């Protein structure tokens, strides 16, 4: 696929005026302004070095399981703001065994520390609207689970629950419990109702382990809103607001993400329709003074996989895997070999107003802005 992209870029240098040798009365001619792309890696946050160090230490530990030939890498990780303080947490998923939980780390007041362990099969449910996390186990005829949040860099229980209604056919006594107290079915359902209406997704397994995925996740993924120009942000906001209105009308759990699919330090905007099997992703790119929708259908289940090294993204269904590359006109899927540095794209943020402002850094992050200014001087 051949693909050319034109971008709006922040201007940080003034145009020079050509005046030497001009005759009196001649019109002055200005040189065209040269746009400058800001590398997201020049935007720094206090937590980055600690996250990078922990990820690399884990790769050198016995708990790390490298990629097995023909399979998805067992060990993966995620970087996600779980408590809503605008500072992300680091999540490490050792593998996908049933008993495998995620280890969560936080960075607060210049202190990096483990928060606790949560989940099974290498992931847990995250409810971003509430900033709650959920762990649930379905056994033979029963279910047990809990909701937790993060306070003072520790997992704090919000609610625990258990129910064995599925054992009714065996003659077992049916018991519903909330916070270890036996309750009626009506009270049990009422206690869980506050969570059931919130969108949730599996957290813990966004990135495979590798030098380039660690580099991108730690030093670029959280910085796109700090390097886009005001014009670029306005274009993104317009597209996202329209998509949000459409998603609300269709009652879809749409999401979005900024991700550089071409390696030019200018991100594309990926909008995920939802998490249904047939839900696709729409990809927009900056094109002069507008954002253009990339032709074609992309993704499966509302996300795409992206090879950070080869700049190839792909999705699979029951019958095939489809590959695309926007940076290489001579790309051939038949010749593609994975670098192993893979990330899932499309669902970093649920498509809500507050997340749009967060992703575009419309409220500003002082330490990031100061660093960017220092880089420009």
């Amino acid at each position: 696929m051949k693909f050319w992209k034109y971008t709006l870029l922040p201007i940080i240098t003034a145009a020079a005026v050509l005046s030497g040798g001009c005759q009196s009365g001649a019109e002055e001619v200005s040189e065209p302004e040269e746009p400058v792309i800001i590398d997201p890696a020049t935007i720094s946050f206090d937590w980055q070095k600690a996250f990078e160090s922990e990820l690399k230490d884990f790769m050198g530990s016995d708990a790390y399981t490298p990629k097995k030939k023909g399979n998805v890498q067992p060990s993966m990780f995620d970087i996600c703001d779980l408590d809503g303080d605008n500072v992300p947490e680091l999540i490490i998923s050792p593998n996908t065994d049933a008993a495998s939980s995620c280890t969560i780390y936080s960075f607060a007041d210049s202190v990096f520390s483990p928060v606790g362990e949560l989940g099974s099969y290498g992931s847990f449910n995250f409810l971003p609207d509430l900033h709650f996390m959920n762990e649930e186990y379905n056994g033979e005829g029963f279910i047990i689970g809990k909701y937790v949040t993060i306070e003072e860099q520790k997992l704090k229980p919000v609610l625990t629950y258990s129910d064995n209604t599925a054992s009714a056919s065996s003659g077992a006594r049916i018991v519903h419990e909330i916070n270890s107290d036996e309750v009626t079915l009506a009270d049990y359902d009422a206690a869980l109702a506050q969570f059931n209406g919130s969108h949730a997704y599996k957290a813990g397994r966004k990135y495979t382990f590798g030098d380039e995925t660690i580099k991108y996740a730690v030093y670029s993924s959280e910085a796109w809103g700090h390097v886009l120009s005001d014009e670029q942000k306005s274009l993104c906001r317009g597209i996202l607001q329209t998509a949000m209105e459409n998603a609300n009308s269709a009652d879809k759990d749409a999401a979005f993400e900024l991700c550089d699919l071409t390696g030019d330090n200018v991100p594309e905007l990926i909008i995920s329709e939802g998490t249904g099997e047939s839900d696709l992703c729409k990809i927009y790119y900056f094109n002069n003074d507008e954002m253009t929708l990339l032709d074609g259908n992309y993704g499966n289940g509302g996300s795409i996989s992206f090879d950070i090294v080869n700049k190839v993204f792909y999705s699979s269904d029951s019958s095939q895997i489809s590959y695309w590359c926007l940076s290489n006109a001579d790309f051939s899927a038949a010749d593609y070999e994975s670098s192993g540095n893979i990330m899932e794209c499309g669902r970093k943020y649920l498509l809500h107003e507050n997340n749009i402002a967060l992703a575009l850094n419309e409220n500003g992050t002082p330490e990031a802005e100061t660093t960017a200014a220092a880089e420009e001087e």
Side-chain angles (χ1 to χ4, degrees):
M1 174 187 296
K2 191 171 183 179
F3 176 82
W4 299 96
K5 182 171 66 172
Y6 303 90
T7 59
L8 287 169
L9 302 171
I11 307 299
I12 62 172
T13 57
V17 177
L18 295 177
S19 57
C22 292
Q23 296 181 357
S24 177
E27 182 179 354
E28 293 184 345
V29 179
S30 297
E31 291 182 349
E33 296 178 328
E34 291 293 332
V36 176
I37 298 174
I38 300 176
D39 186 340
T42 64
I43 307 299
S44 66
F45 302 95
D46 290 344
W47 48 266
Q48 289 172 315
K49 292 295 184 182
F51 281 26
E52 180 184 32
S53 178
E54 185 63 37
L55 288 167
K56 290 186 174 180
D57 285 349
F58 178 80
M59 287 186 71
S61 72
D62 292 338
Y64 172 67
T65 305
K67 185 176 186 293
K68 297 178 180 178
K69 186 175 182 180
N71 296 320
V72 175
Q73 180 174 315
S75 294
M76 297 180 71
F77 70 96
D78 202 345
I79 293 178
C80 179
D81 181 10
L82 299 174
D83 57 6
D85 65 353
N86 293 334
V87 178
E89 277 67 47
L90 171 63
I91 309 166
I92 294 181
S93 170
N95 57 65
T96 56
D97 294 344
S100 180
S101 59
C102 295
T103 302
I104 303 171
Y105 300 84
S106 74
F107 189 94
D109 299 324
S110 300
V111 176
F112 176 73
S113 66
V115 170
E117 296 187 354
L118 190 71
S120 59
Y121 296 97
S123 64
F124 57 86
N125 296 318
F126 175 48
L127 289 68
D129 292 337
L130 301 175
H131 300 294
F132 290 163
M133 292 145 278
N134 169 242
E135 173 185 276
E136 186 173 278
Y137 175 74
N138 286 274
E140 189 69 31
F142 69 95
I143 182 173
I144 57 174
K146 63 182 178 181
Y147 287 92
V148 301
T149 189
I150 296 176
E151 286 190 8
E152 299 179 350
Q153 293 184 280
K154 297 294 181 183
L155 291 181
K156 178 184 177 181
V158 174
L159 180 143
T160 63
Y161 59 95
S162 64
D163 177 74
N164 68 339
T165 300
S167 299
S169 60
S170 65
R173 177 177 176 269
I174 304 304
V175 177
H176 320 286
E177 290 187 344
I178 295 294
N179 295 330
S180 300
D181 294 328
E182 186 172 347
V183 298
T184 65
L185 177 58
D187 288 340
Y188 179 86
D189 291 339
L192 295 179
Q194 60 180 310
F195 310 104
N196 295 337
S198 297
H199 292 302
Y201 65 85
K202 294 289 185 181
R205 301 186 60 79
K206 183 176 178 66
Y207 301 95
T208 64
F209 274 87
D211 289 342
E212 292 304 313
T213 46
I214 291 175
K215 178 181 176 181
Y216 178 86
V218 173
Y219 293 104
S220 294
S221 67
E222 302 294 318
W224 292 118
H226 300 274
V227 301
L228 293 177
S229 68
D230 290 341
E231 292 83 358
Q232 289 173 315
K233 291 181 183 181
S234 179
L235 291 171
C236 285
R237 170 167 279 283
I239 296 294
L240 288 169
Q241 286 182 322
T242 299
M244 181 171 61
E245 293 169 2
N246 293 336
N248 290 340
S249 298
D251 194 26
K252 303 282 286 187
D253 58 337
F256 70 99
E257 183 165 358
L258 290 162
C259 183
D260 182 9
L261 299 176
T262 61
D264 63 355
N265 287 331
V266 180
E268 280 64 50
L269 174 62
I270 307 170
I271 299 180
S272 166
E273 295 178 340
T275 55
E277 185 176 349
S278 61
D279 286 332
L280 302 174
C281 291
K282 293 181 178 180
I283 301 175
Y284 292 84
Y285 60 95
F286 293 105
N287 183 8
N288 293 323
D289 59 351
E290 63 182 17
M291 292 201 79
T292 300
L293 176 64
L294 187 66
D295 291 337
N297 296 318
Y298 306 96
N300 181 260
S303 66
I304 58 177
S305 297
F306 178 49
D307 186 325
I308 295 174
V309 173
N310 293 317
K311 303 300 181 287
V312 172
F313 61 96
Y314 57 93
S315 62
S316 60
D317 56 31
S318 58
S319 60
Q320 65 178 358
I321 302 178
S322 300
Y323 298 88
W324 302 273
C325 181
L326 305 183
S327 60
N328 181 4
D330 298 320
F331 169 76
S332 169
D335 298 330
Y336 168 68
E337 293 185 9
S338 173
S339 71
N341 290 264
I342 309 298
M343 63 175 287
E344 182 185 78
C345 294
R347 299 198 60 82
K348 183 174 178 63
Y349 301 100
L350 288 180
L351 188 46
H352 296 165
E353 174 59 36
N354 59 325
N355 285 340
I356 294 175
L358 177 64
L360 299 180
N361 189 40
E362 292 178 336
N363 298 325
T365 302
E367 71 270 25
E369 293 173 356
T370 299
T371 305
E375 292 289 340
E376 293 173 5
E377 293 177 352

